Each structure stands twice: as structure tokens, then as C-alpha cells.
Amino acid sequence: MIPKTTPICIVGAGPGGASASLFLTKLGIHHVILEKDVFPRDKICGDGLDLNTLRVLQHYDANSVEILLKDTENFMPLSTTRIYAPNRSFRDMDVPNPVANRPVYIICKRYYFDNWLFQRLPSPYATVITGANVSNLERIDGKLTVSFTKEGIDYQIVAPLILGADGDHSTVQRKLDARKIDRTHYAAALRQYYQGITPLEGEPRLEVYFPKALPFGYFWIFPLPNGQSNVGLGMQSAELSRTKANLRLMMKEIIETDPVIAPRFANATALEEPKGWGLPLASRLRKAYGDNYLLLGDAASVINPLSGEGIGSAMISGYIAAHLAEKALQANRFDEAFLMPYQKEVTRRLTGEINFYKRSLKLRPTIWQAVFINVLISTGIGRRLFQRSVVKWLETAFEKKLVLDI
């Protein structure tokens, strides 16, 4: 039965919305979650779960990572990244003295990870409605009425607080605030699954390539279970527009002609055509709150502008939103002023990356990126910095509580 009212309504059941729902359940707060798709479903992505993701999972259930890693058919732990500089030098960014069940990354298709989260949503506190296409939001008497269609029938749910986790093209944001795209703070990417790419010697690694002619972008090969790989290419949208580059042709050329990469694909089989998606970068600093609503994940533009990673940031936004929602319900306050601390909490964990990215915009990327990365890789400075930071991050992800100032 579909309720007509709810304290909290979440729109979208991806990692951001699912995380909000899971923590609302842990807090004992009734809510409705509306999702347009039926799970499991594909989600175009790089398929990497970073330490932000693992940290939120640990907060949900301290056994989450261990449970995921038992599913070796779908989830692969990795702790080493091989980075190729524009000058062809490379370096393995590894973890000194790695600990079992504490990987730096878990690689899996979003098809499986998002469904893993989704399967955990039903509870006495969560009403999960799939196949729900949200069409409108209207503010009436200090609350929002959400209109949606399911199986050809129109429904409405009234809630004092809406959590919009419905992606970059968020209906919640579009109806409650203007959506603007700034290509300088936006990226485009392609994903293509392959079978049978010749692996590197030794343990599996994430592979990141920085071609000289690809400013504000990189090519990747992320190994998956069962001999498959997620192959992709991403680039800042402003550079794509300025250079009039074609991502599909660039990716094809790299795979077929690059002297380092092409031999690895000699016996590989593409499992799909390249699929594209957009990445709203956190440097955009999109306003993610207002009267009666919070935006989560891609709707809030929380993707790391340096790495393009957004799953962990989305899940952290869901965690923060759930705990602020609890305070809002206790205070019976859903106005913009009360919800304002959400913005600071969501963005402050990306402040370093945002500031570095903005400083880099003042330089010519075709020059500084190649020189900077060449120096980091060739001298080993990048490896030392990686090891120093990742040791701290592993401890933070698996042992320290997320402290919120809300």
C-alpha cells in the first residue's frame, strides 16, 4: 500500500538515496523511497568503490566489507594502482604492509553493488516503491507534495522533507531550483566492458593512463572478476568543447594504436558499445539545500574533480542527510536556514581537491598536467605521497567515526 504522507521522502535509490534510507532505518525514522527503475539495473560508471564508500559501509555494518569480499564472483579487492605518466614512465602506487579485508578499493559492476544496497532497504521503517516516475513537486502549507506515476496510476505523497537523490538530471532540483551546467565544472566519460584483456604481471591493479594530448582527463583499465575489465576515458567538458574532441574516436585510437595499451587488447573482446555519462564535479559548489529539501549524490554535484569518483561522496551525503533529517524532525524545522549546515558538511571533505582543481584552471592544462604528472611518477614522489596518505585513510575508513557538525 502506498502511503499518502511520510516524515521523509527520498527520490532515488542509488548509493546516495540508499545510504540515506539505510541510516534513517538505523535511526528508527519512517520514510518512503521512490525509485524510477526496477533493480537490478545497469549504471554507467567506473565501478570503483573507494575508501569513502567503505567507510560508510563500515558505519552501516562493521561486517559489510567482509561480506562483500566473500562474493568473489562479483567483488574484487585491490590495493595497488599503476599510473602511466605522459612521458611513458609508470609507477605502482601500493600499500606498505597491506591488511587482509582492508583493501584500498573494491571493484565491482554497479549492477551488483547498487542491487546489494537496494536489497537491504526494506524494513519496518522504509516503504520502497520502484517503477515510480516523479513528475512534479509542489510546496503547500510548508510541506512538499510529490506527484508520481506507477504502472499508469497517479499518486501523491506529502512530506515535510524531500531528499533528492535522483541523479545529475534531478527532477527534485529542476522543480525546486534552476539547474545550470558549467562545462568547466563538468566532465564527460565513456565506459566499455571488455573480456580477455591481457593482464599485467603479478597482482591485479587499477590502471590509469595520462596521455599527453588529454588535458583534464585520463584513460583507465579497471579489472573485474571473471576476466572482465571496465575500460573508460574521461575528460573535462570545457576542454572537450574547446578542442572539439570526440571521446569515442579518442578511445578507439588509444585502444588500437597506443604502443603501451594496444598490445593488451590484441585478444580482447568488447562486450558492449561505449556508453557515455556526465559527471557534475564538486568544484561547481551547487547549492544542495533549500526549504523542505536536500540534494544528494550527483544531484548535489559531489564528484571529486580530480579523480571523478562519486560513489563514496554520494554515500557520505546520504549519511549526513539522514542525521540532519533526524534533527529536523526533532526540532520540527525544515526551512532553508535550519538545513544550511548540510552544504558545509557535504563539501568540506572535498575542500582540498576542489581548491587544487580551481588553482589548476588558471594554468594551461596541456603544459602543467604533463609536466606535473611526469615529475610525480618519474621521481617516485607520487608513490611516497600516496603511501603516506593511504595509510592514514585506511585507518580512518575502518576505525574512525564520521563526526558531523550539524
Side-chain angles (χ1 to χ4, degrees):
M1 183 176 177
I2 296 177
K4 293 185 178 180
T5 62
T6 180
I8 310 290
C9 181
I10 305 172
V11 180
S19 295
S21 176
L22 292 173
F23 286 103
L24 285 173
T25 289
K26 286 177 74 73
L27 294 168
I29 298 173
H30 290 276
H31 60 284
V32 172
I33 182 164
L34 304 174
E35 168 57 46
K36 67 178 181 178
D37 293 321
V38 176
F39 282 71
R41 53 93 174 103
D42 184 31
K43 175 69 175 178
I44 309 171
C45 182
D47 293 338
L49 311 181
D50 71 349
L51 286 173
N52 280 324
T53 305
L54 304 189
R55 189 182 192 190
V56 178
L57 289 175
Q58 289 294 102
H59 278 59
Y60 166 63
D61 181 344
N63 296 314
S64 292
V65 173
E66 185 176 349
I67 292 170
L68 285 179
L69 295 180
K70 287 180 179 179
D71 183 0
T72 56
E73 287 292 310
N74 298 310
F75 296 87
M76 174 184 286
L78 293 174
S79 291
T80 302
T81 302
R82 173 166 290 188
I83 297 181
Y84 286 83
N87 65 4
R88 299 295 180 185
S89 62
F90 69 86
R91 189 78 59 168
D92 284 336
M93 309 293 177
D94 54 358
V95 178
N97 305 314
V99 178
N101 292 330
R102 286 196 176 187
V104 179
Y105 316 98
I106 296 178
I107 309 300
C108 65
K109 293 182 178 181
R110 289 284 299 276
Y111 180 91
Y112 299 112
F113 178 65
D114 287 16
N115 192 52
W116 187 89
L117 289 175
F118 182 78
Q119 289 176 337
R120 284 155 177 77
L121 298 185
S123 77
Y125 299 99
T127 300
V128 183
I129 304 172
T130 58
N133 291 288
V134 174
S135 57
N136 194 33
L137 290 95
E138 185 178 7
R139 188 175 284 106
I140 302 174
D141 296 331
K143 296 183 179 181
L144 285 172
T145 297
V146 183
S147 300
F148 66 97
T149 303
K150 178 178 172 63
E151 296 177 346
I153 301 175
D154 295 330
Y155 297 93
Q156 289 185 330
I157 292 179
V158 177
L161 183 61
I162 304 296
L163 306 184
D166 47 341
D168 180 34
H169 299 277
S170 169
T171 299
V172 175
Q173 189 206 25
R174 191 171 66 251
K175 295 296 182 180
L176 299 177
D177 190 19
R179 178 178 184 268
K180 302 180 181 68
I181 293 180
D182 183 342
R183 291 181 182 275
T184 303
H185 303 287
Y186 207 82
L190 294 176
R191 180 208 76 188
Q192 189 172 23
Y193 288 130
Y194 271 84
Q195 181 81 41
I197 296 175
T198 301
L200 297 172
E201 293 183 2
E203 63 177 323
R205 281 153 282 192
L206 298 183
E207 299 177 57
V208 176
Y209 297 79
F210 290 97
K212 187 175 182 179
L214 194 65
F216 283 126
Y218 63 86
F219 176 88
W220 71 81
I221 301 175
F222 292 175
L224 290 161
N226 304 311
Q228 295 186 12
S229 299
N230 181 316
V231 177
L233 178 67
M235 189 173 179
Q236 184 207 59
S237 295
E239 278 298 307
L240 269 175
S241 178
R242 184 185 67 82
T243 60
K244 296 181 171 56
N246 184 310
L247 273 187
R248 290 177 182 269
L249 292 179
M250 291 171 67
M251 184 163 158
K252 184 175 185 292
E253 182 178 356
I254 290 171
I255 290 173
E256 293 180 354
T257 67
D258 186 276
V260 173
I261 298 170
R264 306 270 305 285
F265 284 80
N267 299 310
T269 302
L271 301 177
E272 62 176 356
E273 290 297 315
K275 296 181 178 179
W277 81 103
L279 292 84
L281 305 179
S283 51
R284 168 75 170 80
L285 294 177
R286 177 183 289 173
K287 184 169 177 280
Y289 66 98
D291 291 336
N292 305 102
Y293 77 92
L294 299 172
L295 300 177
L296 284 59
D298 283 3
S301 187
V302 296
I303 291 177
N304 187 319
L306 300 183
S307 67
E309 194 286 326
I311 302 171
S313 300
M315 294 181 68
I316 287 177
S317 74
Y319 177 91
I320 297 168
H323 286 82
L324 183 54
E326 178 188 39
K327 292 183 177 296
L329 287 168
Q330 291 170 347
N332 195 30
R333 288 276 306 274
F334 307 98
D335 56 281
E336 180 174 304
F338 190 87
L339 300 176
M340 183 170 58
Y342 173 77
Q343 184 85 44
K344 180 188 69 174
E345 281 298 307
V346 167
T347 57
R348 73 180 176 90
R349 292 169 174 81
L350 288 165
T351 299
E353 291 86 346
I354 291 171
N355 289 340
F356 184 90
Y357 178 77
K358 287 187 172 181
R359 285 194 296 268
S360 72
L361 294 175
K362 300 177 182 179
L363 304 172
R364 290 183 60 190
T366 51
I367 297 175
W368 78 262
Q369 178 174 295
V371 172
F372 181 73
I373 296 174
N374 286 340
V375 170
L376 283 180
I377 302 305
S378 301
T379 62
I381 294 174
R383 181 172 182 266
R384 292 194 292 274
L385 292 174
F386 174 85
Q387 290 183 328
R388 186 182 304 169
S389 63
V390 81
V391 167
K392 293 180 181 178
W393 253 114
L394 280 166
E395 179 183 1
T396 297
F398 287 94
E399 296 180 13
K400 294 186 178 181
K401 183 176 176 58
L402 270 163
V403 179
L404 305 180
D405 183 18
I406 53 176

